[in-house]
Amino acid sequence: MATTSSTLIGVAVVRCGGRYLVGRRGPDGPLAGYDEFPGGKCRDGESAAACAARECREETGLEVEAVELLLRREFTYAHGSVDLNFWLCRLREGQSEVTLQNGFGWVTTDELAGLRFPEANAPLLELLRSL
């Protein structure tokens, strides 16, 4: 159960053809310049799975569906506490994996290791290497 001070976050870990969808955080806001999976704050009453799919659509233009909760982790950064819900997602039928926006792209599992993700993502990255 998330503490009342944690912000509920839905994260879409989109896998397609052995690759993962990754972008880079913009220069404004917390963790600027870090690599990231699509995701963001859940709206009131929104599940983390629905949030992950919505945020992916808003950030990348891709329609996905959440299929499995990979990891849930509470973490405290200097800017606040987050309740991260990493959902394995797949592209909805008819979606092309090359129709992307906002600088998102596809990387292999091996390439994930060379990227700079926020500290809270470390257990997820380890998990993805074992899949």
Side-chain angles (χ1 to χ4, degrees):
M1 182 80 180
T3 62
T4 55
S5 61
S6 291
T7 301
L8 184 61
I9 306 290
V11 181
V13 181
V14 184
R15 184 170 60 193
C16 182
R19 297 176 299 156
Y20 293 93
L21 184 60
V22 174
R24 181 153 296 142
R25 296 179 68 92
D28 302 323
L31 305 171
Y34 278 83
D35 295 298
E36 67 174 350
F37 298 101
K41 296 177 187 175
C42 295
R43 295 176 177 161
D44 287 342
E46 181 179 44
S47 72
C51 174
R54 175 184 54 77
E55 287 282 346
C56 186
R57 181 180 63 253
E58 291 175 0
E59 293 178 9
T60 71
L62 289 177
E63 294 282 346
V64 300
E65 55 188 343
V67 293
E68 177 186 353
L69 180 63
L70 290 172
L71 178 71
R72 181 174 182 188
R73 180 168 197 222
E74 289 194 53
F75 195 84
T76 301
Y77 287 107
H79 63 272
S81 294
V82 290
D83 177 4
L84 298 163
N85 290 256
F86 296 97
W87 281 87
L88 180 63
C89 296
R90 67 175 171 234
L91 295 177
R92 287 196 181 271
E93 193 172 323
Q95 288 289 292
S96 167
E97 64 177 275
V98 295
T99 309
L100 297 174
Q101 61 192 31
N102 296 325
F104 278 84
W106 297 99
V107 299
T108 65
T109 305
D110 290 340
E111 290 170 324
L112 286 174
L115 298 177
R116 183 176 171 230
F117 283 91
E119 186 181 349
N121 290 38
L124 172 72
L125 296 169
E126 218 168 283
L127 176 65
L128 294 179
R129 282 193 290 276
S130 72
L131 293 180

